């Protein structure tokens, strides 16, 4: 933490002094900005539309919204609460609270899951971040103007077919993330979030406005909001649950880390709900911008991870000022991905610093390089290794490439497991007076949260798991 001259406090790298001298967020707003920067990312704009398309639309969206409300928000509150109570990095917070309340240090495992998930997610996240960078150039050079759906599709498959280009942009993305994490000063970034997030929001609104005139808005909106449960599979349910974790940055202790900087007295419930609503609205806007274009152009909603890169460029190619708006859009998407990528690397670096006593630069270089190397496997699975499906002997994972596997296993298995552990920790392991003191809610609101975290969340997560495994 550092206190800038303007008096505002921001996260910085030196968490070495875990107990002494840790500043706090200047305000509730600073926390909301950082947490939103982490939550709003590729998950909202790239992943949400494509998994919605793959899982049949409305019913999936409804289940996703239920998962946000019943699982996501309560767990975000629990993570922020644990972080603030512990006042240290996630692993040490859990250990400290566990000791204080006479509990087992075994809860450190939660932190360990977080670090593993962080490595795996960032490795492929960076590859997709690279796609966004690549499209900045594509849009800026006017290549999208007036193109047919086929030509736009060709541009995208051309990108996927060139490992060298993918590697270049993956490297650029990883370096961008590493530079910020190594410097450990997020002041500039926080200010950027204040401007760029609203800009992204406005641009999405413009895209939705365009979609309204595209001729298929009603169909796109119906696809998103009219539930047809015959289209929802049990896997779809698991994906909806997993995505609630992914999109809110839950299950790997990121919100715990940020919570440790939240001033006492700020309402954990209100802040968590604010962040969750912003995140959800951005995802729904992305869906509303994309699906009308899909239907107006006879494209396939279940096209997979390339969906936004095959539909939005088409819209940019047709609308007036499309090259400008397209360029701006991909720049803002890159920014959203960047702030999320930073929050994926940060916990790993903090852990290396605290546990291994490495300095920040070295920690960043080592962990960033490991992620970068792992990312190469994802890149190759898009082209040279597209036939490599290492886990096909498990029915649920049949036909999944390395890239698909990393995405599926992290979001749908590791994050929900991490979240389950957080719920059990908050609902069953911590002392109730400690919880009440930290949450500082009205007694009925507290009871609602407590019952949810203690019973509803664990049962929901366990049920969805069992459903899919058995
Ligand atoms: N929430 C981000 C997104 O939607 C991704 C992300 C950043 C994340 N940090 C995380 C996911 C921590 C899980 C855990 O793009």
């Amino acid at each position: 933490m550092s206190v800038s001259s303007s008096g505002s406090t921001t996260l910085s790298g030196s968490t070495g002094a875990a107990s002494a001298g840790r500043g706090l967020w200047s305000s509730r707003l600073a926390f909301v900005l950082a947490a939103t920067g982490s939550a709003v990312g590729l998950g909202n704009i790239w992943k949400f539309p494509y998994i919605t398309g793959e899982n049949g639309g409305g019913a999936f969206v409804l289940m996703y919204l239920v998962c946000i409300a019943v699982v996501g928000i309560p767990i975000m509150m629990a993570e922020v609460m644990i972080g603030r109570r512990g006042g240290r990095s996630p692993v040490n917070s859990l250990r400290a609270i566990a000791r204080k309340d006479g509990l087992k240090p075994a809860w450190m495992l939660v932190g360990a899951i977080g670090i593993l998930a962080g490595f795996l997610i960032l490795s492929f996240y960076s590859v997709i971040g690279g796609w966004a960078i690549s499209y900045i150039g594509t849009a800026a050079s006017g290549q999208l103007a007036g193109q047919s759906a086929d030509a736009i599709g060709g541009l995208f498959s051309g990108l996927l077919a060139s490992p060298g280009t993918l590697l270049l942009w993956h490297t650029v993305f990883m370096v961008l993330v590493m530079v910020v994490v190594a410097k450990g000063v997020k002041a500039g970034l926080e200010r950027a979030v204040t401007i760029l997030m609203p800009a992204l929001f406005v641009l999405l609104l413009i895209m939705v406005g365009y979609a309204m005139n595209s001729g298929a808005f009603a169909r796109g909106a119906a696809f998103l909001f009219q539930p047809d449960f015959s289209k929802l599979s049990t896997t779809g349910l698991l994906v909806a649950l997993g995505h609630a974790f992914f999109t809110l940055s839950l299950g790997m202790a990121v919100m715990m880390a940020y919570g440790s900087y939240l001033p006492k007295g700020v309402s954990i419930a209100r802040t968590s709900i604010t962040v969750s609503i912003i995140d959800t609205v951005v995802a729904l806007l992305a869906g509303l911008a994309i699906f009308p274009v899909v239907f107006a152009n006879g494209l396939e909603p279940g096209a997979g991870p390339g969906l936004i890169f095959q539909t939005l460029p088409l819209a940019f190619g047709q609308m007036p000022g499309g090259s400008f708006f397209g360029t701006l859009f991909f720049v803002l998407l890159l920014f959203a991905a960047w702030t999320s990528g930073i929050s994926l690397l940060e916990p790993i670096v903090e852990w290396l610093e605290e546990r291994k006593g490495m300095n920040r630069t070295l920690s960043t270089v080592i962990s960033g390089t490991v992620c970068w190397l792992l990312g190469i496997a994802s890149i190759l699975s898009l082209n040279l290794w597209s036939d490599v499906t290492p886990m096909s002997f498990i029915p649920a994972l049949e036909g999944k490439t390395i890239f698909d596997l990393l995405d599926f296993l992290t979001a749908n298995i590791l994050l929900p497991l991490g979240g389950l552990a957080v719920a059990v920790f908050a609902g069953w392991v911590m002392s109730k007076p400690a919880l009440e003191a930290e949450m500082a809610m009205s007694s009925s609101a507290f009871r609602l949260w407590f019952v949810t975290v203690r019973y509803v969340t664990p049962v929901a997560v366990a049920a969805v798991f069992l459903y899919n495994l058995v």
Side-chain angles (χ1 to χ4, degrees), residues 38-39 41-44 121 125 245-247 249-250 252 254 340 343-344 415:
S38 169
L42 295 169
N44 306 64
I121 295 176
Y125 203 86
F245 285 96
F246 188 87
T247 192
S249 301
L250 301 177
M252 54 159 284
V254 168
S340 301
S343 80
L344 283 161
L415 298 181

Side-chain angles (χ1 to χ4, degrees), residues 305-388:
L307 187 66
I308 70 155
F309 294 93
Q310 286 159 313
T311 52
L312 290 183
L314 196 57
F316 292 128
Q318 293 163 1
M319 64 204 256
S323 294
F324 169 76
F325 284 125
T327 310
L328 187 59
F329 175 81
F330 287 110
V331 168
L332 296 174
L333 181 61
L334 168 63
F335 243 93
W338 192 7
T339 52
S340 301
I342 289 163
S343 80
L344 283 161
L345 190 57
E346 176 76 27
I348 304 174
V349 169
E350 280 191 18
W351 173 76
L352 279 178
E353 279 183 310
E354 274 186 15
R355 301 284 299 175
K356 309 283 168 203
M358 276 181 212
N359 73 38
R360 192 160 185 93
T361 310
L362 187 62
S363 315
T364 308
V365 170
I366 291 178
S367 47
T369 306
V370 172
C371 283
W372 179 79
L373 284 171
L374 263 174
I376 294 176
S378 288
I379 288 180
L380 292 175
S381 82
L382 297 168
N383 36 67
L384 301 176
W385 294 354
S386 59
D387 293 333
V388 179

